[in-house]
Amino acid sequence: VVEQADVVIIGAGAAGLFCAAQAGQLGLNVLLVDNGKKPGRKILMSGGGRCNFTNMYADHTAYLSHNPHFCKSALARYTQWDFIELVSRHGVAYHEKTLGQLFCDNSAEDMVNLLVKECEQGNVDLRMRNEVLSVESNEQGFMIKLSAGNIQAKSLVIASGGLSMPGLGATPFGYKIAEQFGINVLPTRAGLVPVTLHKPLLEVLQTLSGVAVPVSVTAENGTNFKESLLFTHRGLSGPAILQISSYWQPGESITVNLLPNLDLDAFLNEERAEHPNQSLKNTLARHLPKRLVESLQTLNKVPDVTLKQLSAPQQQQLADTLQQWQIQPNGTEGYRTAEVTLGGVDTKALSSKTMESVQVPGLYFIGEVVDVTGWLGGYNFQWAWSSAWACAQALAKT
Ligand code: FAD
């Protein structure tokens, strides 16, 4: 017996749940399939368990893609304010943490419950623990063979996400389906991920594991973020590093300004006038963690002198070091700890209005599987909601 559905959606993550709910509420008969035990596993883990579900400043400038214009239409048609309205309607309490980032007050579970309730309102048939064995197109649409049986659907939506955190069920399924249908997949790499360091530098900085400092960090292409940097036992992490990792390519350097809010020359000149015999180390420790200053001394970045001994060229060199510290990462921690996957299904192959494949009518790709990747701060979920919404509207018109 072959079951029938208007739409089969593969992947009950952020994008799949939201698309299923919307399409169901628009009157479609929707089957949502996932190979995991529970829907929205990444949502539950997100934002440190509180889900940073959107960002008040979301617009296309916060996304990386080979076509930076692709995400504009969907983001403009279903905005952060639309999603915030939905969150409020469900009575989910939230707050702005920083930089427009909205988090649940209580738990990310509130977000999964919201999405599951929305699916119930759309009579979505949610089937967890189902493996997709094969997908074939035919005259009526698509035949989807699941471990639990065969489904014939008019439309097929791929919402299976990227490769980051295989421990949370990430698989290359979406890319394989794209390839099966001759749709281009751009090379993928880990994004929003800690970077690792070469041994000599790591050995010194490792001792700072757990120390965080507000910095400004710049990639070779000029992209810059002002957030905090965290030293770890493997290298560097913290929001500033996660952000810049998406813009970093192997072999490139990043430039770290450890004192982004300080006029270092003016500060040193004032201090020298008042305390000429004070050590440079103690002086810098007024603006930086002492252990960090000591490590910078070990790396010969800070001379072991008093302020009156500090020569003009030394002072210039110090400013260069502390405010333009060039670090060449060894690599990243990879998909194991990455929050997102850069690259993926080529947006050239999709309609930016509907997320439908240009070559294969009825086949849609939404969420992270598409080559659209947001900054840290709720932007990735907003892409999931916006792309899912655009797709659901299109499905309802077919
Ligand atoms: P996913 O949410 O990954 O969902 C894909 C679904 O497809 C999963 O349920 C998976 O089980 C299923 N699936 C995969 N392969 C198959 C298959 N072969 N068969 C059947 N089902 C399959 N973004 C933010 O905006 N804010 C945050 O606070 C935030 N925090 C994060 C924290 C962590 C630890 C991680 C890893 C990511 C975080 N992100 C955050 C990124 C965000 O989680 C993703 O961008 C978002 O979940 C992508 O949604 P999606 O629906 O496209 O994919």
Side-chain angles (χ1 to χ4, degrees):
V1 196
V2 176
E3 274 187 80
Q4 306 282 327
D6 291 325
V7 192
V8 165
I9 301 177
I10 297 173
L17 284 163
F18 193 57
C19 185
Q22 296 298 313
Q25 290 176 23
L26 289 168
L28 298 177
N29 168 4
V30 182
L31 188 72
L32 176 58
V33 178
D34 197 290
N35 59 2
K37 275 189 229 162
K38 278 194 203 164
R41 273 182 289 180
K42 256 187 204 166
I43 303 174
L44 291 173
M45 290 289 292
S46 70
R50 288 227 162 85
C51 185
N52 178 192
F53 57 84
T54 192
N55 192 295
M56 293 199 286
Y57 305 118
D59 73 9
H60 73 282
T61 57
Y63 294 86
L64 294 91
S65 170
H66 286 75
N67 177 2
H69 302 291
F70 180 83
C71 62
K72 276 186 187 170
S73 164
L75 290 170
R77 287 167 66 219
Y78 189 84
T79 68
Q80 59 272 42
W81 308 111
D82 294 317
F83 195 77
I84 291 166
E85 197 268 323
L86 176 72
V87 170
S88 303
R89 213 181 328 132
H90 280 258
V92 172
Y94 66 90
H95 62 279
E96 181 189 359
K97 196 167 166 195
T98 170
L99 303 169
Q101 302 169 4
L102 302 186
F103 285 75
C104 297
D105 282 358
N106 303 315
S107 156
E109 253 180 76
D110 286 352
M111 200 50 59
V112 175
N113 292 341
L114 176 158
L115 292 165
V116 169
K117 257 190 229 158
E118 285 285 311
C119 282
E120 283 164 7
Q121 282 169 25
N123 292 316
V124 172
D125 184 352
L126 172 60
R127 297 198 195 164
M128 302 304 297
R129 299 179 198 251
N130 258 274
E131 294 295 333
V132 183
L133 306 176
S134 69
V135 170
E136 277 156 38
S137 62
N138 55 27
E139 276 182 9
Q140 298 82 44
F142 299 87
M143 171 67 76
I144 298 116
K145 294 192 173 157
L146 302 175
S147 47
N150 299 345
I151 321 273
Q152 174 67 44
K154 282 189 219 135
S155 310
L156 174 63
V157 180
I158 307 298
S160 55
L163 298 171
S164 49
M165 298 224 176
L168 292 179
T171 74
F173 178 81
Y175 310 130
K176 289 199 174 142
I177 291 290
E179 278 160 7
Q180 179 191 329
F181 285 96
I183 294 168
N184 191 36
V185 177
L186 294 163
T188 58
R189 66 191 166 88
L192 300 181
V193 61
V195 301
T196 55
L197 298 172
H198 292 282
K199 216 170 179 196
L201 184 59
L202 180 63
E203 272 170 1
V204 178
L205 296 183
Q206 236 171 8
T207 58
L208 297 172
S209 187
V211 171
V213 275
V215 300
S216 155
V217 57
T218 310
E220 282 194 13
N221 76 353
T223 307
N224 170 273
F225 290 96
K226 227 173 158 181
E227 288 192 59
S228 88
L229 174 152
L230 174 73
F231 293 92
T232 71
H233 65 286
R234 296 164 135 259
L236 305 174
S237 186
I241 293 298
L242 299 183
Q243 297 283 33
I244 217 70
S245 72
S246 297
Y247 292 87
W248 177 82
Q249 305 282 350
E252 291 185 353
S253 296
I254 55 172
T255 305
V256 177
N257 182 347
L258 289 169
L259 296 164
N261 303 314
L262 186 71
D263 180 340
L264 185 60
D265 262 338
F267 168 69
L268 289 175
N269 293 343
E270 259 170 48
E271 287 288 310
R272 184 189 288 112
E274 282 179 35
H275 318 282
N277 294 318
Q278 182 169 276
S279 72
L280 179 59
K281 181 169 109 179
N282 285 343
T283 309
L284 291 174
R286 292 188 44 200
H287 286 284
L288 290 170
K290 198 161 190 177
R291 277 161 66 201
L292 172 56
V293 181
E294 283 164 1
S295 297
L296 292 167
Q297 247 175 2
T298 310
L299 293 167
N300 289 323
K301 306 265 180 212
V302 173
D304 186 14
V305 293
T306 63
L307 290 180
K308 83 175 171 215
Q309 290 168 325
L310 185 68
S311 67
Q314 270 177 327
Q315 184 160 323
Q316 183 54 51
Q317 203 200 342
L318 184 70
D320 285 351
T321 304
L322 298 185
Q323 299 191 301
Q324 288 183 63
W325 185 15
Q326 292 230 347
I327 299 178
Q328 195 177 15
N330 184 16
T332 73
E333 288 190 7
Y335 293 118
R336 192 181 59 83
T337 60
E339 279 200 15
V340 287
T341 303
L342 292 150
V345 174
D346 191 347
T347 58
K348 273 193 203 139
L350 307 177
S351 152
S352 63
K353 194 147 185 253
T354 62
M355 307 296 137
E356 187 176 14
S357 156
V358 180
Q359 295 141 257
V360 188
L363 178 61
Y364 299 74
F365 292 86
I366 58 173
E368 198 180 319
V369 73
V370 179
D371 171 36
V372 173
T373 308
W375 290 346
L376 185 79
Y379 298 98
N380 284 295
F381 281 137
Q382 186 57 44
W383 170 246
W385 318 136
S386 295
S387 58
W389 189 89
C391 173
Q393 301 308 305
L395 289 168
K397 290 195 184 121
T398 54

